[in-house]
């Protein structure tokens, strides 16, 4: 027979007793339990795939393809002696007959590698019939050589309305779209949606939104906080999406009712347990001053705790173990307890004038935003000394205006930034570790480095007067490579300078980009590097004293020299012109003869050498 020969096969119903297993059939041995399970499937769903064989001279056939099905039919004949009357289609199965022995042999060996799978619609119907006949998902899975999970999903589809299955069979919806209909138990709504989406491509999200527009997923923060039991106890109905493995809360109004009730109870419990004047609820997953109109509220903060010397030593010891990744559970608990002491707490007096907001965050956990003072309670809190009067309040105010202008404050901030960069240069490994940490973590806007290479302000408007940073921060700027003709050659030359040069360049530019980041991370870095503003900056007439008022300079003079208000040295200084005051203060900081002339003690000298303007310490 050539490749171009046309194979003409015939089909005929042949009595089961006249069918035998051909020696050509590759399935000569089949476990009995498999035969029994397949028999259940055939009894429930029928013989979906025909058997094939080569006819004999007696009107029978030797089966070359479908050996398991033949055994299952024979098994059913044994179990049901009257099968010829009750199920004649099984007692006389349809057999595809090969035209010759060569074709039969080809069929025998091709079936296992080229067998056509059932269409999804046919598979769904077959599984549904088997389930209706009493087969378990496990038995169905073994019969069709699929996983139980696959069976469960097909059975979920088998329970859909016939029009939906028919639409799937006709190709008017795809399998993914059919799966979306399993979330709805409203047949009328499902059929309306089916008519709307036939023949079109809809995403799962769009289709599910049509079927259940108001349902809330079980991962929603409200659902997590409330829990299924409390929701169902209130009459809420639970739906589900087997395919997306999602639980659906189908009654959002009940969910909101239970959510609000539970949050109200939590607020009451916190108020009674912690002693706040008031505790209100916030239904949003955060407390936002501006969106909630809290601008007129006052804000107080916990009183920080103080560790004993022994506790400080233990805190540092545990912190080092934590950094090294070797802190055990008991040690972590001890470290956390010490951190709680450091973080401090609100006093009873503070709580008597202030309150808190209780809310549920995006993960479904209860959170407390505490220390808020209502506008009507602010004056009482100020009188009690727990709330500072706003410097921006209108009318007469006894709040002392800061002698530091905003422009000067900005310069001092730049100087403090430069001091930290100056200090961090001493620890190149820390810089590189920080860079790796930033690159491997999504820190959003709280990044330690301005990797975008934006200039991090560290240079005051008075230029370098009294300000000396490490020269690596102020010299040898990056070369402009705009006109470079061969960047490959330039890079090769750069690499030839060696690892120390490359590390030095990386260290220098990382230090120049360091800008602190999140508060606790910045505090850890500061603890490691111990920055000193006075190491890089000394106040002078130009960079500081000449930029503040005379009364403030008098206060500085008296404070540094421990002078009373009527001391002759203090009164003489007070009578000087502003420029003269600034000049004398500069010399006090930098001129040994000036200090000697005023009999500056060692203690006073130490105070002068450590002095910083208010807000910089």
């Amino acid at each position: 027979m050539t490749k171009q020969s046309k194979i003409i096969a015939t089909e005929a119903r042949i009595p089961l007793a006249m069918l035998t297993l051909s020696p050509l059939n590759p399935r000569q041995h089949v476990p009995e339990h498999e035969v029994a399970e397949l028999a259940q499937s055939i009894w429930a769903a029928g013989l979906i795939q025909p058997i094939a064989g080569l006819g004999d001279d007696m009107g029978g056939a030797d089966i070359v393809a479908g050996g398991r099905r033949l055994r299952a039919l024979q098994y059913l004949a044994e179990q049901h002696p009257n099968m010829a009357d009750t199920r004649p289609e099984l007692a006389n199965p349809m057999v595809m007959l090969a035209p010759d022995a060569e074709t039969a042999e080809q069929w025998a060996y091709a079936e296992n590698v080229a067998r056509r799978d059932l269409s999804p619609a046919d598979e769904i119907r077959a599984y549904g019939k088997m389930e209706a006949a009493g087969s378990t998902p496990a038995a169905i899975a073994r019969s069709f050589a699929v996983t139980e999970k696959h069976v469960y999903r097909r059975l979920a589809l088998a329970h859909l309305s016939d029009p939906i299955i028919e639409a799937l069979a006709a190709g008017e919806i795809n399998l993914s779209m059919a799966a979306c209909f399993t979330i709805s138990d409203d047949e009328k709504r499902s059929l309306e949606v089916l008519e709307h989406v036939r023949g079109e491509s809809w995403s799962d999200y769009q289709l599910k939104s049509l079927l259940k527009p108001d349902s809330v997923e079980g991962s929603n923060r409200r659902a997590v906080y409330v829990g299924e039991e409390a929701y169902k106890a209130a009459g809420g109905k639970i739906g589900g999406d087997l395919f997306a493995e999602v639980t659906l809360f189908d009654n959002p109004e009940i969910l909101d009712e239970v959510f609000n009730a539970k949050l109200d109870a939590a607020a009451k419990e916190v108020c009674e347990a912690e002693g706040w004047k008031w505790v209100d609820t916030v239904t949003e997953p955060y407390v936002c001053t501006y969106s909630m109109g809290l601008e007129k509220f006052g804000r107080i903060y916990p009183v920080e705790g103080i560790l004993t010397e022994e506790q400080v030593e233990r805190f540092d010891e545990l912190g080092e173990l934590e950094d090294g990744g070797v802190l055990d559970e008991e040690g972590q608990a001890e470290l956390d307890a010490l951190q709680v002491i450091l973080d401090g707490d609100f006093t009873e007096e503070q709580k008597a004038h202030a309150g808190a907001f209780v809310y549920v965050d995006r993960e479904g956990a209860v959170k407390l935003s505490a220390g808020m003072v209502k506008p009507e309670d602010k004056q009482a809190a100020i009188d009690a000394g727990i709330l500072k009067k706003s410097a921006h309040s209108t009318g007469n105010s006894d709040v002392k205006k800061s002698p530091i202008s905003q422009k000067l404050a900005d310069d001092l901030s730049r100087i403090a930034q430069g001091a930290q960069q100056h200090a961090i240069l001493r620890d190149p490994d820390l810089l590189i570790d920080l860079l790796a940490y930033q690159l491997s973590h999504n820190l959003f806007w709280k990044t330690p480095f301005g990797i975008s290479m934006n200039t991090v302000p560290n240079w005051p408007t008075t230029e370098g007067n009294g300000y000396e940073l490490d020269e690596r921060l102020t010299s040898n700027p990056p070369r402009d490579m705009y006109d470079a003709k061969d960047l490959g050659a330039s890079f090769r030359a750069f690499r030839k300078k060696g690892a120390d040069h490359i590390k030095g360049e990386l260290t220098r530019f990382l230090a120049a980009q360091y800008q602190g980041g999140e508060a606790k991370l910045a505090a850890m870095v500061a603890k490691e590097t111990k920055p000193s503003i006075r190491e890089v900056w000394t106040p002078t007439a130009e960079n500081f004293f000449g930029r503040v008022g005379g009364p403030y300079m008098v206060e500085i003079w008296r404070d540094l020299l421990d002078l009373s208000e009527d001391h002759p040295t203090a009164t003489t200084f007070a009578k000087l012109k502003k420029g003269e005051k600034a000049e004398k203060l500069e010399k006090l900081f930098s001129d040994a003869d000036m200090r000697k002339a005023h009999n500056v003690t060692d203690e006073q000298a130490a105070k002068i050498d450590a002095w910083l303007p208010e807000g910089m310490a």
Side-chain angles (χ1 to χ4, degrees):
M1 184 176 68
T2 66
K3 292 182 179 179
Q4 288 76 25
S5 298
K6 185 175 181 179
I7 298 175
I8 301 176
T10 59
E11 286 185 333
R13 286 195 175 276
I14 300 176
L16 187 59
M18 299 182 69
L19 300 178
T20 59
L21 185 67
S22 169
L24 297 176
N25 192 294
R27 293 182 182 272
Q28 293 294 314
H29 304 286
V30 181
E32 290 185 10
H33 71 275
E34 288 189 17
V35 172
E37 289 171 355
L38 181 56
Q40 283 185 302
S41 172
I42 293 173
W43 187 258
L47 189 63
I48 299 172
Q49 292 178 310
I51 53 180
L54 181 65
D56 58 25
D57 297 336
M58 305 295 292
D62 293 333
I63 302 304
V64 297
R68 290 175 68 245
R69 278 161 278 162
L70 175 62
R71 289 178 177 82
L73 289 170
Q74 292 169 341
Y75 175 87
L76 288 172
E78 294 174 1
Q79 299 296 313
H80 304 279
N82 61 341
M83 190 169 74
D85 298 324
T86 58
R87 299 294 296 274
E89 79 281 6
L90 299 182
N92 300 276
M94 184 68 72
V95 181
M96 182 178 291
L97 297 171
D100 51 51
E102 183 180 359
T103 301
E105 185 175 359
Q106 290 178 350
W107 284 359
Y109 294 105
E111 184 194 38
N112 289 326
V113 296
R115 187 176 65 185
R116 181 182 177 187
D117 291 331
L118 294 174
S119 70
D122 287 338
E123 189 179 25
I124 291 165
R125 287 168 174 150
Y127 289 6
K129 289 180 180 179
M130 288 186 67
E131 182 189 42
S135 293
T136 65
I140 298 171
R142 287 192 294 270
S143 296
F144 286 85
V146 295
T147 65
E148 286 189 40
K149 185 175 184 180
H150 178 79
V151 172
Y152 276 113
R153 289 184 167 181
R154 288 292 188 264
L155 289 176
L157 291 166
H159 299 151
L160 292 174
S161 300
D162 288 340
I164 299 174
I165 300 297
E166 291 167 3
L168 173 63
E172 295 173 338
I173 61 174
N174 58 37
L175 187 60
S176 178
M177 293 173 68
C180 292
F181 283 90
T182 63
I183 71 170
S184 174
D185 55 4
D186 184 341
E187 183 174 4
K188 182 175 181 293
R189 176 68 177 171
S190 295
L191 295 180
E192 289 174 352
V193 172
L194 176 64
E195 293 305 315
H196 186 66
V197 302
R198 280 183 190 271
E200 298 182 12
S201 178
W202 287 69
S203 71
D204 289 358
Y205 174 79
Q206 291 173 318
L207 190 48
K208 290 175 183 178
S209 296
L210 286 177
L211 291 164
K212 283 193 174 182
D214 299 324
S215 291
V216 176
E217 290 191 3
S219 59
N220 181 277
R221 67 186 184 92
R222 292 172 295 159
V224 172
Y225 178 58
V226 167
E228 285 189 29
E229 291 187 10
Y231 167 75
K232 289 192 289 187
K237 187 175 181 181
I238 292 290
D241 186 348
L242 176 65
F243 296 86
E245 298 181 351
V246 170
T247 298
L248 298 176
F249 287 59
D250 290 342
N251 303 108
E253 68 285 352
I254 294 178
L255 176 61
D256 284 340
E257 181 181 338
V258 180
F259 175 83
N260 291 332
K262 186 173 182 179
L263 193 58
D264 287 341
K268 183 178 180 181
E269 181 180 348
V270 169
C271 191
E272 294 176 352
E274 299 189 14
W276 292 102
K277 183 174 182 179
W278 55 267
V279 176
D280 290 343
T281 62
V282 174
T283 56
E284 297 299 322
Y286 52 79
V287 175
C288 178
T289 299
Y290 301 104
S291 66
M292 294 174 57
L294 304 179
E295 297 92 341
K296 294 183 179 180
F297 278 57
R299 188 69 186 259
I300 60 175
Y301 299 92
V303 177
E304 294 183 3
I306 300 175
L307 298 180
T308 64
E309 291 185 9
E310 293 78 6
Q311 288 175 321
V312 171
E313 291 180 4
R314 183 58 177 162
F315 184 83
D316 291 340
E317 179 184 345
L318 292 170
E320 291 177 1
L321 292 174
E322 183 182 42
D323 292 341
V326 294
L327 188 62
D328 58 21
E329 186 175 344
E330 184 178 349
Q332 185 64 57
E334 184 180 357
L335 179 61
D336 292 342
L338 292 173
Q339 186 63 56
V340 168
I341 296 174
L342 275 178
D343 292 340
D345 198 2
F346 292 97
T347 66
E348 295 302 318
E349 185 178 13
Q350 285 177 314
K351 293 178 180 179
H353 293 276
F357 290 105
V358 170
Y359 62 98
V360 175
D361 68 12
R362 298 186 187 281
E363 282 69 49
V366 178
K367 298 293 183 181
L368 190 71
S369 179
M372 306 296 292
V373 181
K374 291 183 176 180
E376 60 267 28
D377 297 329
K378 287 171 70 174
Q379 188 56 55
I382 292 172
D383 295 341
I386 68 167
L387 180 67
K388 292 183 179 180
K389 190 170 184 178
S390 173
H392 303 289
S393 60
T394 58
N396 295 330
S397 173
D398 56 1
V399 177
K400 183 179 178 181
K401 183 179 179 180
S402 174
I404 307 295
S405 69
Q406 186 58 53
K407 186 175 181 180
L408 175 55
D410 290 342
D411 275 352
L412 297 179
S413 177
R414 291 184 176 97
I415 289 165
Q417 182 73 66
Q420 176 61 85
Q421 293 173 345
H422 177 94
I424 205 170
L425 276 171
R426 302 181 186 121
D427 197 338
D429 291 336
L430 175 61
L431 277 168
I432 294 171
D433 290 346
L434 270 176
L435 175 62
Y437 176 70
Q438 175 172 327
L439 295 177
S440 60
H441 293 72
N442 190 356
L443 304 181
F444 298 100
W445 66 92
K446 298 177 180 179
T447 53
F449 299 106
I451 295 300
S452 63
M453 299 304 289
N454 295 328
T455 301
V456 180
N458 67 353
W459 205 251
T461 56
T462 52
E463 298 298 332
N465 184 275
Y467 187 40
E468 293 184 11
L469 293 179
D470 189 300
E471 66 177 3
R472 287 173 290 177
L473 293 172
T474 59
S475 62
N476 191 23
R479 296 177 178 84
D480 184 356
M481 303 300 289
Y482 180 80
D483 294 323
K485 295 181 179 180
D486 188 345
L487 289 179
S490 175
F491 181 61
R492 284 193 294 272
F494 174 78
R495 297 185 72 186
K496 286 182 180 179
K497 293 181 180 180
D500 289 343
H501 174 78
I502 293 172
K503 185 174 181 180
E505 289 292 274
L506 179 60
T507 299
R508 178 161 64 90
F509 283 107
L510 284 178
Q513 286 293 301
Y514 179 77
Q515 54 190 8
E518 192 271 336
K520 290 187 177 180
L521 177 61
M524 187 281 290
V525 173
K527 181 179 178 181
E528 291 271 341
T529 58
K530 298 179 174 58
S532 170
I533 294 173
R534 286 300 305 275
E535 180 183 354
V536 301
W537 178 77
T538 300
T540 66
E542 181 181 353
N543 70 21
F544 183 79
F545 298 120
R547 302 171 68 187
V548 299
Y552 184 45
M553 284 192 280
V554 172
E555 286 184 19
I556 297 171
W557 180 263
R558 288 179 48 214
D559 177 64
L560 294 176
L561 296 179
D562 299 315
L563 302 173
S564 62
E565 187 174 354
D566 59 353
H567 191 284
T569 303
T571 56
T572 300
F573 182 88
K575 294 176 183 178
L576 297 175
K577 295 179 180 179
K578 179 179 177 179
E580 294 172 334
K581 290 186 179 78
E583 184 179 350
K584 289 203 69 169
L585 276 170
E586 177 179 330
K587 288 185 177 180
L588 184 63
F589 277 74
S590 59
D591 191 335
D593 291 336
M594 170 66 81
R595 294 192 185 188
K596 185 176 181 180
H598 285 84
N599 298 313
V600 173
T601 65
D602 291 341
E603 184 177 351
Q604 290 171 339
K607 184 192 295 186
I608 293 170
D609 292 338
W611 183 88
L612 290 170
E614 64 178 47
M616 288 190 79

